[in-house]
Each structure stands twice: as structure tokens, then as C-alpha cells.
Amino acid sequence: MIDSLTGDISSTPYALFNGKIRNKQSLLADAHSKMHLQIAEAVHLKDFNASFWMGDYIEAAKSSDIALLFPSAKMPKVQLIYHMFYRGIVMFHLYREGKGEKWLEEGNKMQDQVQIWVKNSKPIFENKLVLLEAEHYASMGNVVAAKESYELSVELARDNGYVHEQGLAYG
């Protein structure tokens, strides 16, 4: 992922496989043939994260949809938290871009999931929920509520030490 974000095309991340795996496609083929589905899921999550941070939300949505097809996608893990959170942002953005109602519905599902998590760990999830609420308000054209929620999300992220999530709320 770092390679795609920094544009470092000289990197050879597959060198450690000694020529047996040369690229992402052969890694995915190997993972599927050996039923190492968590590896395949991880590759698609990497693609999702890279696309998200590069602002390519169409590709992010495609990678996210594929990653969610794997049974391991439902297992609790740190990647699941950020996948659902960033997926919600992507879905609301695609809705606002006029890509269709399904994106709003999916964004709402992600918001509902984060709402459940807030009940278990408010300091970790509250700013994420408020940011998704801001995205929802923006999607509905409620500029005042969206602005208030974006500002609250920044405050909550700052108060809990999530500097990178402050930046998302400013975006």
C-alpha cells in the first residue's frame, strides 16, 4: 500500500517469495488454491485502503465489496473497524456523487454498525460515528447539521488522540 501511495515503483514487495509469486494476481491465485482466504481478504483490504486514501472511491467500493465476500471479513479485528468506518465514508460520498440510492443504504448500514460499537467503547468509536452522521447529513443536504457534526467529530477525535481522523472530518 505504501508503494501505491508514495509512487515508489522501484519497490519489490514480492521478492521475498523467491520468484514463486511475482505480483498481486499470482498471490491471489496462490491464496485461493491453498484456501488461504484470509490472505486474499487482506489483499483486497489493502487495495481498499490504498484506493480510499488516494480518493478513488469507485475502486475503494469495488475492493471493499470483494473483501466482504470472504467469511473472514466478519471476524472481529482492527481491520474490520477501519474497513467499516472508511466504507461508510465511501458510500456516502458515492451517493452524493449521484451514483445511486444503494450507496446511501450501504452508508446507513455502516453508520448503524458503528452505533453498536459506540455502546461498547465510546472513546474509540464516538468520533467515527459522529463523522458518519455528518456524512449522512451532508448526503441529505442538511448543511447546518453536517457542519455541526463535522466540527464535533474533529473535537472528539482531538480529545481522544485520533489526529488522522481529525483530518478526515476537516476534509
Side-chain angles (χ1 to χ4, degrees):
M1 180 170 90
I2 300 301
D3 301 343
S4 60
L5 292 174
T6 63
D8 181 4
I9 58 172
S10 66
S11 175
T12 54
Y14 299 99
L16 68 109
F17 294 110
N18 298 319
K20 293 177 185 168
I21 295 175
R22 293 186 172 90
N23 55 34
K24 179 176 78 172
Q25 290 72 23
S26 61
L27 177 60
L28 285 170
D30 184 70
H32 283 289
S33 72
K34 295 177 180 172
M35 296 302 293
H36 294 158
L37 300 182
Q38 286 179 311
I39 291 173
E41 178 200 5
V43 169
H44 293 293
L45 286 176
K46 180 214 61 93
D47 289 347
F48 168 75
N49 282 310
S51 297
F52 174 82
W53 287 110
M54 295 297 288
D56 187 347
Y57 290 164
I58 297 286
E59 281 305 311
K62 289 177 187 175
S63 296
S64 177
D65 288 345
I66 294 169
L68 287 174
L69 295 174
F70 294 96
S72 57
K74 308 283 188 278
M75 290 177 20
K77 53 190 175 272
V78 172
Q79 296 91 327
L80 175 69
I81 294 166
Y82 282 99
H83 182 207
M84 296 297 105
F85 174 46
Y86 296 156
R87 181 176 169 84
I89 294 170
V90 167
M91 299 299 118
F92 286 128
H93 177 83
L94 291 175
Y95 174 75
R96 287 195 306 274
E97 292 288 311
K99 305 294 185 197
E101 292 292 319
K102 73 176 188 173
W103 302 110
L104 178 63
E105 293 169 17
E106 192 63 26
N108 288 335
K109 286 180 192 175
M110 298 304 98
Q111 185 177 338
D112 292 345
Q113 181 61 60
V114 175
Q115 175 70 53
I116 292 168
W117 293 341
V118 166
K119 294 174 188 171
N120 295 318
S121 187
K122 191 173 179 179
I124 293 174
F125 296 109
E126 186 177 31
N127 74 293
K128 295 167 182 62
L129 176 63
V130 173
L131 179 54
L132 290 176
E133 288 172 349
E135 291 288 317
H136 176 83
Y137 289 137
S139 296
M140 298 293 94
N142 189 338
V143 176
V144 173
K147 183 178 184 290
E148 290 172 358
S149 291
Y150 283 124
E151 290 170 354
L152 179 57
S153 178
V154 168
E155 182 180 314
L156 292 166
R158 183 194 62 236
D159 291 349
N160 289 292
Y162 298 112
V163 176
H164 58 293
E165 292 174 17
Q166 278 181 265
L168 285 174
Y170 277 122

